Amino acid sequence: MRKILLAAICIGVFALAVNFASRSDYSEFSLRFRDFVASLFFIDSTTKETLKSAYEKADKGEEKLSILIVPGHDSVQSGTEFRGMKEASITLDLGEELYRLLAADAHFDVRLSRTRTGYDPSIAEFLREKKTEIDEFVKIQKALMSRYVALGKIESRILVEHNKAPVDTAYKLYGINKWANENGADIILHIHFNDYPRSMRSASGIYSGFSVYIPESQYSNAKGSRVIAEAVYKRLARFYPSSNLPKEDAGIVEDQELIAIGSNNTVDGAALLIEYGYIYEPHLQNIVIRQKAISDLAFQTYLGIMDFFESDPKKESYETRLLPYKWQEDIFRASAAKKDTLSLQAALIIEGLYPPAGSSLNECPMSGNFGACTEKAVKAFQGKYGILPQTGYAGEKTRAKLNELYGAK
Ligand SMILES: [Zn+2]
């Protein structure tokens, strides 16, 4: 209700401001008045404190903290694609896993924007029935935004160029934003996998890694989004490379244009758009290890969120879904991608031996492939535990040590 009232005030004041601003008098009063208007439009809607207090409420059993998970794209616009694998399908895999993890925690009221059968009924109905309201909402927000840019109250910042969303997609995204606002979503998580414009679409690209997009710092939902993003980023970065695409390599990337996270100040809650990696990366492409990798990406996201809310995070026995693991066969260099190698790489990361010194996770990712990176790290592991000779492959003695340290009981 407060927000509706605020919106009403905003619109009223906006009409006045337009009137004032169109005159060219720069009296003290009109300048102050414009400041006041802009400060209303960009009042913080989510911060570290509001999120923490929402969690405390949930902790007392009062009101649950509301989380909306939006698996990127849908059956109409399936996003990027690589060798027949559609982005919309793996964003859903990840979204469902994240849903399971968060929904199991009594603090959270979690909703998945779409499932295998389509959009969540409440969201679908909203998009179908509220067309006029959604269009009006977008029109007003855009008008306010361009007005403030023109007045110099807001700086227009285009940091990373994105493909312009098709009209239909833009409508759905703005509609979901409005739905999230009206339903009091505290956190909105958009799940995507990345790609970039390149000529040989059937070949893998040169960039790799994940990135977390958050609303640009002038937006109302910037502060809350950033604190959640930092916690999630920290977890993901332990096991996955941060994107090395120029301009995305900040890891946490502020953006003013992405509708999903609140372009034109359209989202109240903390909003993150996570590009979980490039769609052609080996751990996403290889069907033998993909589900494991995706389940771990969801797990890291969940752990990041819990890190933010819990001062004393729950002790998970392992910080990755890839462990514990039971290694039953020797693993040699150049063997086909498999779970044995993926979990070996995870164990080597925890040992501090992977990626090998001097290499990055972009150069030596958890790929499930046993190449030069893994060989070096296995040699280091053998050295660390006095396993001789240091063959660089995981033979009986090395496996015994791995099973002792990280083996499934
Ligand atoms: Zn996408």
Side-chain angles (χ1 to χ4, degrees), residues 72-73 78-80 87-88 91 191-195 273-275:
H73 311 282
S78 56
T80 187
E87 184 187 354
T91 60
I191 298 166
H192 286 261
F193 289 89
N194 221 340
D195 207 341
L273 186 153
I274 307 179
E275 296 277 6

Side-chain angles (χ1 to χ4, degrees), residues 73-283:
H73 311 282
D74 56 25
S75 54
V76 181
Q77 293 280 343
S78 56
T80 187
E81 187 173 341
F82 188 72
R83 293 182 186 160
M85 185 178 79
K86 289 188 164 73
E87 184 187 354
S89 149
I90 52 173
T91 60
L92 189 52
D93 290 341
L94 204 158
E96 284 177 335
E97 185 62 25
L98 187 56
Y99 176 87
R100 277 191 284 275
L101 289 163
L102 290 167
D105 189 307
H107 292 93
F108 305 128
D109 175 17
V110 193
R111 194 183 289 253
L112 197 56
S113 69
R114 67 180 175 96
T115 63
R116 310 265 151 201
T117 53
Y119 277 93
D120 169 271
S122 155
I123 293 175
E125 190 194 329
F126 190 82
L127 293 174
R128 206 172 47 239
E129 308 292 333
K130 303 277 180 180
K131 175 123 181 44
T132 317
E133 288 91 330
I134 293 168
D135 286 343
E136 192 61 20
F137 167 67
V138 176
K139 216 171 95 189
I140 290 169
Q141 293 300 114
K142 281 185 175 172
L144 284 168
M145 183 73 186
S146 56
R147 192 70 208 162
Y148 295 134
V149 170
L151 288 171
K153 293 296 170 201
I154 296 289
E155 195 187 321
S156 177
R157 293 181 193 152
I158 298 183
L159 304 154
V160 177
E161 294 281 350
H162 303 284
N163 297 331
K164 217 169 158 56
V167 176
D168 175 54
T169 305
Y171 172 76
K172 282 182 206 158
L173 288 171
Y174 277 124
I176 290 173
N177 289 355
K178 188 164 162 55
W179 183 93
N181 293 346
E182 289 182 13
N183 288 274
D186 296 293
I187 300 176
I188 303 105
L189 302 165
H190 288 263
I191 298 166
H192 286 261
F193 289 89
N194 221 340
D195 207 341
Y196 67 98
R198 56 207 169 87
S199 49
M200 279 281 290
R201 292 296 301 236
S202 57
S204 297
I206 55 170
Y207 301 111
S208 63
F210 76 94
S211 42
V212 183
Y213 280 88
I214 54 169
E216 196 267 326
S217 61
Q218 298 168 99
Y219 283 139
S220 296
N221 65 337
K223 288 187 182 143
S225 305
R226 177 165 278 280
V227 288
I228 300 286
E230 282 169 353
V232 171
Y233 179 87
K234 204 171 158 199
R235 283 286 183 172
L236 285 169
R238 175 121 166 84
F239 292 96
Y240 299 91
S242 180
S243 173
N244 54 5
L245 178 82
K247 290 186 187 168
E248 212 174 58
D249 53 8
I252 297 173
V253 192
E254 288 189 6
D255 196 285
Q256 208 172 59
E257 300 267 280
L258 286 171
I259 300 170
I261 49 176
S263 175
N264 296 301
N265 215 32
T266 49
V267 177
D268 295 338
L272 274 56
L273 186 153
I274 307 179
E275 296 277 6
Y276 278 95
Y278 284 79
I279 193 161
Y280 47 74
E281 288 183 54
H283 62 296

Side-chain angles (χ1 to χ4, degrees), residues 9-31:
I9 295 171
C10 271
I11 296 161
V13 171
F14 169 63
L16 281 169
V18 171
N19 191 23
F20 265 96
S22 56
R23 303 174 190 176
S24 54
D25 77 273
Y26 281 82
S27 68
E28 180 65 17
F29 175 75
S30 82
L31 284 173

